[in-house]
Amino acid sequence: MENSDQKLKSSLKTRHIVMLSLGGAIGSGLFLGSGQAIAAAGPAVLISYILAGLMLYVVMYGVGQMVIHQEIHESGMSGIVKAFVGGRMAHFTDWVYWATWMAVLIAEEAGVSTFLGMLIPGVPLWVFALIVAVLGTVINLYSVRAFAETEYWLAFIKVAVIIILIVLGAYLLLINDTHLGFTAPAVQKASTSVAPSFAPHGFQGVLTSLLIVIFSFGGSELVAVTVTETENPKEALPKAVRGILIRIISFYVIPIFLFLQLLPWSKVSNPNAPSPFATIFTKIGIPYADKVILLVIIIAIFSAVNSAIYATSRSLYSRVQSSTHGIGKQLNHLNKNQVPIRAVLVSAAILFLGVILSAIFGSHFWGFVAGSISFTITIVWIMLLLAASIMYFKRKETGHLFLKLITLFVLALLIFVLISQVVTNPVQLSIFAIVICLLAFFSYRKPKKKA
């Protein structure tokens, strides 16, 4: 029976929050999208990864500061920003973030289907989708602790594989093992001009790759949604934030650098290759390495699906938890484990839509969804940073001059990126993102004052 006094349970520990910040960020954006990002910018893609990583750190530092200086923590992304940007913009942020993660569900589902099709050819996509949907839904329905523990170990597998790649890649560079086909591209470039080889598509290529890179990093901000289900958010969230820059360098910049050193960038970005990870491990000559890496990639992307179900269900619940009638009342129900079961079911159902769309649009579908997500992720980052900026200037104890200046600089940079995305990318992506934003903005209704 429903109980209006029910609240989300604070059962997430610091180790869960740290791994969740990894789990949301390491998915198809790294394993599938890194090749596309390299194709867009060439070796200069490293600039995109470093720049996006620095922007993300400033955004998440602001989130950590907002959590620390709030006594009452409300659910959803709106609970973080409402005190600083007001009810309408908090509502806008929540719904845009919800739409973002709904699109992530579809994108990651498309990624899982792509890799499962490579691993087990001939099986219909709907079979893979059914397995992913059932597993993700059951894990999220049972309890938040079940979700967190599952995500913790899935994220652990991802990290382990990336560390193995880094160790093997560093070893191959040290011995310069040319008999495996690693011909030290850096040496080959010595006789040519530096600029064309490093940035073959110029500034436009770097800017274009930011779309995919920002999509790749999207998910780190998921920790902000966990605030009402974390045992000690004022300790756990800042700790997760402090490690973001190190994780970005360790799990994105170093692997991409190794890809570019071990193989010519044009081969790393080959659209017919399953993944730069699979290409490298296959080149090493380990038996069935390509199959093993495909399996790990599938696990990694399922982890992102798992996180996406959590993020969408909590974002939806935060918008309907106070509803007393209609659909909102139906969706704000919590089960005995204090899980918003109906919000989870609504969010998980999008996986089946993803299969249909993936079947219709084929291999181009992932790129389309990833591009549209980049728009909305950028908007969410802007809203988080705007709220943090307002806090820094309103409260003397929250920000010194350098912090205020760097925050304003990154805010301006994100706005520039957003405008560039709208201007330079396919018109259907811009229309899609604008429609989402307009619906989110104009759907706000002021809460009725109690008599």
Side-chain angles (χ1 to χ4, degrees):
M1 189 171 180
E2 259 177 75
N3 182 353
S4 59
D5 293 329
Q6 281 184 307
K7 295 181 180 179
L8 296 175
K9 189 176 181 179
S10 299
S11 54
L12 299 182
K13 298 182 181 297
T14 300
R15 66 183 181 90
H16 294 139
I17 300 303
V18 172
M19 276 302 190
L20 282 176
S21 67
L22 276 176
I26 301 178
S28 61
L30 174 61
F31 292 106
L32 185 59
S34 53
Q36 295 188 12
I38 294 170
V45 74
L46 288 170
I47 295 175
S48 298
Y49 277 101
I50 293 171
L51 182 61
L54 290 171
M55 289 191 292
L56 173 62
Y57 179 76
V58 174
V59 171
M60 292 307 299
Y61 182 84
V63 170
Q65 290 300 302
M66 285 187 284
V67 169
I68 288 173
H69 291 91
Q70 287 180 3
E71 295 302 323
I72 300 175
H73 296 124
E74 299 179 12
S75 61
M77 195 66 74
S78 60
I80 301 290
V81 303
K82 184 178 179 180
F84 308 104
V85 298
R88 178 182 288 275
M89 297 312 295
H91 170 92
F92 169 81
T93 305
D94 246 356
W95 278 119
V96 170
Y97 195 59
W98 178 80
T100 297
W101 274 101
M102 292 298 270
V104 168
L105 269 175
I106 300 175
E108 301 295 6
E109 204 282 335
V112 170
S113 298
T114 298
F115 286 113
L116 280 171
M118 294 176 185
L119 188 65
I120 313 173
V123 178
L125 286 179
W126 68 264
V127 175
F128 299 139
L130 181 62
I131 295 171
V132 171
V134 169
L135 282 176
T137 304
V138 169
I139 290 168
N140 277 270
L141 281 177
Y142 184 71
S143 71
V144 67
R145 178 60 68 88
F147 157 76
E149 285 295 336
T150 302
E151 190 59 29
Y152 179 89
W153 291 108
L154 290 176
F156 182 84
I157 293 173
K158 300 184 204 181
V159 172
V161 170
I162 296 171
I163 290 173
I164 291 171
L165 173 76
I166 291 172
V167 171
L168 288 175
Y171 171 74
L172 290 169
L173 282 179
L174 286 173
I175 65 172
N176 195 22
D177 202 347
T178 56
H179 77 276
L180 293 178
F182 297 106
T183 54
V187 176
Q188 297 175 357
K189 295 173 187 173
S191 61
T192 63
S193 59
V194 175
S197 345
F198 180 72
H201 305 302
F203 175 74
Q204 180 60 45
V206 175
L207 192 60
T208 301
S209 69
L210 269 177
L211 266 174
I212 300 170
V213 174
I214 290 176
F215 161 69
S216 300
F217 291 171
S220 295
E221 73 291 326
L222 172 62
V223 297
V225 180
T226 68
V227 65
T228 54
E229 295 181 274
T230 304
E231 288 183 352
N232 189 353
K234 292 188 177 184
E235 175 188 325
L237 267 69
K239 183 174 182 179
V241 168
R242 285 194 294 271
I244 281 178
L245 204 54
I246 295 174
R247 291 194 293 273
I248 292 299
I249 293 172
S250 300
F251 303 129
Y252 278 94
V253 176
I254 293 177
I256 298 299
F257 173 79
L258 289 172
F259 293 156
L260 295 171
Q261 294 303 308
L262 293 172
L263 290 169
W265 72 267
S266 56
K267 185 174 290 186
V268 177
S269 62
N270 181 6
N272 297 318
S275 163
F277 281 82
T279 302
I280 294 295
F281 278 93
T282 301
K283 275 282 190 180
I284 292 172
I286 300 173
Y288 304 107
D290 55 338
K291 301 296 183 184
V292 173
I293 292 302
L294 279 176
L295 181 60
V296 172
I297 291 172
I298 290 165
I299 291 172
I301 301 177
F302 173 73
S303 165
V305 170
N306 199 33
S307 294
I309 295 174
Y310 175 85
T312 51
S313 62
R314 273 24 177 218
S315 295
L316 179 58
Y317 177 76
S318 74
R319 300 318 314 154
V320 303
Q321 62 179 324
S322 58
S323 298
T324 57
H325 62 278
I327 296 176
K329 182 180 179 181
Q330 296 299 316
L331 292 177
N332 69 14
H333 177 67
L334 300 179
N335 68 5
K336 64 179 181 180
N337 292 323
Q338 295 170 281
V339 172
I341 55 172
R342 292 169 186 170
V344 170
L345 290 172
V346 169
S347 301
I350 200 70
L351 289 170
F352 296 97
L353 175 62
V355 178
I356 298 172
L357 294 174
S358 184
I360 294 172
F361 295 104
S363 59
H364 300 290
F365 180 61
W366 188 90
F368 177 83
V369 178
S372 63
I373 291 168
S374 298
F375 281 99
T376 50
I377 282 290
T378 305
I379 291 168
V380 171
W381 286 10
I382 288 172
M383 291 307 304
L384 289 172
L385 208 52
L386 178 62
S389 300
I390 293 171
M391 181 189 68
Y392 293 151
F393 282 94
K394 284 179 67 175
R395 300 184 179 183
K396 294 180 180 179
E397 72 276 12
T398 58
H400 47 73
L401 180 60
F402 176 76
L403 180 59
K404 293 175 181 177
L405 291 176
I406 196 68
T407 300
L408 290 176
F409 174 76
V410 173
L411 181 59
L413 191 58
L414 282 171
I415 293 172
F416 170 75
V417 169
L418 179 62
I419 294 171
S420 300
Q421 289 169 345
V422 173
V423 172
T424 62
N425 284 278
V427 65
Q428 60 266 34
L429 289 181
S430 300
I431 293 173
F432 181 67
I434 290 169
V435 168
I436 288 175
C437 291
L438 289 175
L439 288 173
F441 185 81
F442 288 108
S443 63
Y444 176 73
R445 297 293 180 270
K446 288 185 179 180
K448 294 180 179 179
K449 293 181 179 180
K450 294 181 180 180

